Amino acid sequence: MNRIQTRLQHNKKILSIYFTAGFPNLEDTVSIIKSLEENGVDMIEIGLPFSDPLADGPTIQSISTKALKNGMTTKILFEQLKDIRESVKIPLLIMGYFNPIFQYGVEKFCKKCKEIGIDGLIIPDLPLEVYEEEYHSIFKNYGLLNIFLITPQTSEVRIRKIDAISKGFIYMVSSASVTGGKNSFGKEQLHYFERIHNLKLKAPQIVGFGIRHQESFFQATKFANGAIIGSAFVNFLRENSIQQIDTFTRKFNSLKK
Amino acid sequence: MKNSYHINEKGYYGEFGGAFVPEMLQPNLAELKEQYLEILQDKKFQEEFQDLLQHYVGRPTPLYYAKRLSEKYKTQIYLKREDLCHTGAHKINNTIGQTLLAKRLGKKRIIAETGAGQHGVATATVCALIGLPCVIYMGAIDMERQAPNVARMKMLGATIIAATSGSKTLKDATNEAIRDWIQNPSDTHYIIGSVVGPHPYPDLVARLQGVISKEIKVQLLKAEGKENPDYVIACVGGGSNAAGAFYHFLEEEKVKLIAVEAAGKGIDSGESAATSILGNIGIIHGSKTLLMQSKDGQITEPYSISAGLDYPGVGPLHAHLYQTKRADFMAITDDDAMKAGLQLSQLEGIIPAIETSHALAVLEQRKFKKEEVVVINLSGRGDKDLQTYIDYFNF
């Protein structure tokens, strides 16, 4: 069983954190991952930076630009992660746009992920249909779970289709938005969270986009199996050191019970 | 092999195209994909579209026999005068069509990206005409370089939002427009300005620009007694004017197509926009196509003296025409383009857009036979480029 599946079986509410590899400094990747695990984070999305991140808001866009300027590349990221499984036990995913992965070679990329001990990939601009037709068997061969997104606009038919092919979890985008949204969740979102919950999907759901404080984490995990925090954490790293990560994670850990 | 240069049912030209977009855009594109052909073929739509093309844009644009240019190059040169369209370029063919389409889809708001500002102006113009609110995304650097077009758009009532991310140019303006669409999925239509982006945009824009080659056929039959020229030449950034000029000749294998990209300061100078030569296959703005990128797949910033040709990708149709060798791709430097622009001004009294000057420069580099008919798509007029011409020639 994949680490993602195991973790989702045992924990009721998952705290998952996204960060962009290569920021604040090129060499911070491993220390951020270790610190997040030590501080009770259940799952990590390691962001492979891209020059043109369409689904991201200003925070992750500017951090990605910074990370690339710092010199982050796919090759360097893999090099940094090569011994990560000697210490880190929690599920690790790589989140990145399709073009850098396509240039690296999808099969070569998946093979490298397996060698390192990456459990899944989130590729926002790799559509379901292309994945099914061209890449599903490669992912399967290397034991990688591909994570699909759904949004409030996704039709039930499509959600069911995504549920059928999802082996890890479904990434529920909280609202019609890019990452780093500043609005609180209103009636509409809460209704959407409940609506998805009532579909009784086979795959667990984790909510992301716009989770940035206790209130939004609490609301998101009321029905879903966890939440992903990205922009808010990346912003935290702009102002604070890696040693202070506990002050960020503490407030969410207290809501997981 | 009939129809091999048109999209297949999955939205691909050969191996290029498709819709590589985040799930957030899936419903918008599905809606557009399901309805665009039906709407384009609807009789009422066509009546309204054709009426505006004729009375508002000023179509058909002339197919002008360029006598002095023909004498100089010892061949038969015709210029398709898209520069005479309202707003000064072919861009408005697309924005009229897409705005009428948006209305039929029940959309209440229009967004667009723009590089040099031509597509932005054409969009703002049609939005004023139809009465829809309009938001234009433009790179912060381009806003400085193209201040007159920013003023035009404002005067037409559009809201201009500066794209301040990444390289602050066209590709970033496109990213910002896509982000806006993600956040306004139901009431907004996104008018892409070229034959780029996810399916069905490349096909939609090519069909709307197809009016150019449709007219060429009719006009050439009248002038030369035959529908098909020997050559059609057009410049390519994203590729919308070329797509339009080629469209009805794609299946006529005897008509040779020449697509002209911007070599900038030279193919090997590191400052170029010759995507088909310097690029390789990848994903940009939702389309699998040829693009300029680092070996890690980061999209790089192209360079050309012409603001309309410095797009790091090329429409998937053109990538396919390049790969199948249906079109011949040439790259023209800044210097050669500027010379050709000056020459057309002084031989024919037409100041072309610098984009178009790249297509004109082919005449210096290729030999055509005396009796051959060469149609060059004069995609836009040079008013917007006057400052660049002035700086270059020290007028």
Side-chain angles (χ1 to χ4, degrees):
Chain A
M1 193 180 256
N2 186 296
R3 286 183 201 90
I4 298 171
Q5 295 161 326
T6 316
R7 178 65 56 151
L8 278 156
Q9 254 185 4
H10 293 126
N11 296 51
K12 275 207 120 55
K13 287 179 183 179
I14 292 271
L15 169 62
S16 188
I17 298 279
Y18 166 94
F19 74 99
T20 305
F23 179 84
N25 304 296
L26 180 62
E27 298 299 335
D28 286 339
T29 312
V30 172
S31 28
I32 292 173
I33 294 171
K34 284 185 178 170
S35 170
L36 287 171
E37 180 177 48
E38 279 160 22
N39 286 297
V41 168
D42 302 291
M43 187 164 79
I44 299 173
E45 279 100 54
I46 305 161
L48 176 63
F50 181 48
S51 55
D52 296 76
L54 287 181
D56 286 297
T59 298
I60 292 178
Q61 159 92 56
S62 75
I63 295 299
S64 300
T65 307
K66 185 85 207 308
L68 291 171
K69 274 201 186 121
N70 288 345
M72 184 48 78
T73 65
T74 312
K75 221 175 131 191
I76 289 174
L77 178 61
F78 282 146
E79 190 58 33
Q80 290 175 344
L81 293 174
K82 74 177 178 348
D83 298 325
I84 197 73
R85 283 303 176 197
E86 284 174 12
S87 50
V88 174
K89 302 280 173 281
I90 58 173
L92 297 175
L93 296 97
I94 289 181
M95 181 161 186
Y97 288 82
F98 190 47
N99 196 49
I101 298 170
F102 184 72
Q103 294 313 316
Y104 192 86
V106 177
E107 172 136 27
K108 201 174 137 203
F109 191 94
C110 290
K111 187 165 176 261
K112 203 77 196 171
C113 285
K114 186 186 160 72
E115 281 169 24
I116 289 166
I118 297 293
D119 305 291
L121 295 178
I122 306 174
I123 310 170
D125 59 343
L126 176 62
L128 171 67
E129 294 75 13
V130 179
Y131 170 77
E132 277 187 304
E133 215 168 277
E134 297 179 38
Y135 301 114
H136 183 58
S137 61
I138 299 176
F139 277 57
K140 222 173 137 189
N141 285 346
Y142 294 101
L144 281 173
L145 303 185
N146 190 34
I147 307 302
F148 296 99
L149 276 56
I150 62 169
T151 80
Q153 278 72 38
T154 311
S155 69
E156 187 180 332
V157 176
R158 196 168 165 87
I159 293 174
R160 298 268 178 215
K161 209 172 151 196
I162 287 171
D163 186 41
I165 196 174
S166 292
K167 296 277 183 290
F169 62 92
I170 291 176
Y171 192 135
M172 262 176 82
V173 176
S174 64
S175 53
S177 140
V178 291
T179 58
K182 290 280 186 294
N183 297 332
S184 286
F185 295 145
K187 250 195 196 141
E188 216 177 302
Q189 271 88 31
L190 299 177
H191 176 74
Y192 158 61
F193 297 156
E194 194 174 357
R195 173 167 65 88
I196 301 301
H197 177 75
N198 290 339
L199 291 177
K200 308 267 177 257
L201 301 176
K202 158 186 80 57
Q205 304 107 51
I206 300 188
V207 181
F209 287 44
I211 315 287
R212 66 187 199 286
H213 46 29
Q214 285 191 311
E215 188 200 342
S216 45
F217 184 85
F218 178 77
Q219 287 170 330
T221 54
K222 202 169 156 197
F223 293 110
N225 306 73
I228 300 169
I229 304 176
S231 300
F233 178 67
V234 169
N235 266 329
F236 173 85
L237 284 181
R238 283 200 226 225
E239 314 274 328
N240 302 276
S241 73
I242 296 170
Q243 286 72 39
Q244 293 166 300
I245 282 180
D246 68 305
T247 63
F248 184 86
T249 51
R250 200 187 300 144
K251 47 187 195 229
F252 301 107
N253 280 326
S254 65
L255 296 172
K256 284 181 357 188
K257 308 292 171 303
Chain B
M1 281 248 293
K2 207 70 187 144
N3 280 332
S4 56
Y5 302 109
H6 292 276
I7 50 162
N8 65 21
E9 68 287 352
K10 286 181 180 160
Y12 286 83
Y13 300 90
E15 64 174 305
F16 303 106
F20 293 79
V21 294
E23 189 63 28
M24 296 78 126
L25 288 177
Q26 202 276 334
N28 308 30
L29 286 171
E31 179 188 37
L32 194 59
K33 201 171 71 186
E34 275 157 27
Q35 300 196 42
Y36 82 106
L37 285 178
E38 200 181 313
I39 294 176
L40 290 190
Q41 283 153 11
D42 176 68
K43 199 165 158 265
K44 278 252 151 53
F45 174 90
Q46 276 302 330
E47 274 171 22
E48 205 177 343
F49 184 45
Q50 297 306 333
D51 184 69
L52 284 172
L53 286 183
Q54 185 184 346
H55 297 109
Y56 188 71
V57 177
R59 304 204 71 93
T61 59
L63 183 71
Y64 165 70
Y65 178 72
K67 187 161 169 280
R68 296 189 67 200
L69 206 60
S70 297
E71 275 165 13
K72 168 150 192 197
Y73 291 104
K74 300 187 174 54
T75 188
Q76 310 304 313
I77 301 168
Y78 284 87
L79 303 175
K80 179 60 174 163
R81 299 290 308 273
E82 292 301 296
D83 60 316
L84 294 175
C85 288
H86 179 41
T87 70
H90 69 289
K91 291 286 184 191
I92 197 162
N93 303 327
N94 172 42
T95 59
I96 288 198
Q98 283 205 50
T99 308
L100 296 179
L101 176 75
K103 250 179 60 180
R104 278 167 176 75
L105 290 170
K107 305 294 177 182
K108 305 275 182 263
R109 176 175 174 268
I110 297 289
I111 57 171
E113 85 295 336
T114 195
Q118 288 307 102
H119 174 56
V121 168
T123 304
T125 299
V126 181
C127 286
L129 175 73
I130 310 277
L132 282 175
C134 164
V135 176
I136 307 288
Y137 289 89
M138 187 168 185
I141 290 178
D142 287 336
M143 284 180 75
E144 272 174 44
R145 291 195 292 204
Q146 308 285 336
N149 271 344
V150 175
R152 278 186 192 105
M153 290 185 274
K154 283 186 179 161
M155 195 162 169
L156 291 160
T159 305
I160 323 296
I161 299 181
T164 54
S165 60
S167 52
K168 305 184 176 67
T169 59
L170 175 59
K171 85 176 169 74
D172 307 283
T174 308
N175 292 338
E176 292 300 336
I178 292 173
R179 289 181 185 123
D180 180 310
W181 209 24
I182 287 173
Q183 294 173 77
N184 298 283
S186 25
D187 70 339
T188 298
H189 177 70
Y190 173 26
I191 302 189
I192 292 185
S194 192
V195 285
V196 301
H199 175 62
Y201 278 105
D203 184 50
L204 168 62
V205 178
R207 282 170 186 267
L208 293 171
Q209 293 293 2
V211 65
I212 300 172
S213 44
K214 200 175 164 192
E215 287 175 7
I216 293 173
K217 283 194 164 224
V218 175
Q219 292 166 323
L220 206 59
L221 182 63
K222 225 170 154 187
E224 293 279 333
K226 57 174 187 181
E227 281 192 337
N228 293 337
D230 296 289
Y231 290 88
V232 181
I233 304 175
C235 63
V236 173
S240 69
N241 93 77
F246 294 169
Y247 195 79
H248 291 280
F249 299 114
L250 288 170
E251 312 297 334
E252 311 272 3
E253 301 269 359
K254 277 188 184 146
V255 180
K256 297 179 200 78
L257 309 174
I258 301 180
V260 187
E261 292 182 314
K265 294 182 179 166
I267 293 286
D268 302 317
S269 66
E271 291 185 80
S272 178
T275 308
S276 65
I277 296 163
L278 296 171
N280 47 23
I281 187 167
I283 313 292
I284 181 169
H285 298 136
S287 181
K288 187 186 264 187
T289 186
L290 296 170
L291 64 130
M292 291 171 62
Q293 52 186 321
S294 71
K295 62 180 190 321
D296 291 310
Q298 307 298 342
I299 298 172
T300 53
E301 190 59 22
Y303 163 82
S304 163
I305 194 166
S306 152
L309 297 182
D310 61 357
Y311 182 66
V314 64
L317 163 64
H318 295 296
H320 183 56
L321 296 179
Y322 177 76
Q323 198 189 47
T324 57
K325 300 194 164 64
R326 171 68 187 94
D328 195 357
F329 278 68
M330 293 179 68
I332 296 292
T333 61
D334 288 355
D335 291 339
D336 289 341
M338 296 305 271
K339 255 183 258 164
L342 185 63
Q343 174 176 269
L344 186 78
S345 308
Q346 300 184 350
L347 278 185
E348 299 287 349
I350 299 168
I351 301 175
I354 299 175
E355 290 84 351
T356 313
S357 298
H358 286 73
L360 293 160
V362 169
L363 293 171
E364 272 297 317
Q365 305 199 356
R366 282 292 270 282
K367 278 271 164 285
F368 301 100
K369 291 183 192 141
K370 182 86 185 106
E371 70 284 2
E372 280 178 332
V373 173
V374 179
V375 174
I376 300 174
N377 195 35
L378 204 81
S379 54
R381 63 175 172 242
D383 305 35
K384 69 178 177 65
D385 293 320
L386 212 50
Q387 194 57 51
T388 313
Y389 280 126
I390 290 168
D391 294 344
Y392 186 87
F393 290 111
N394 287 315
F395 288 136

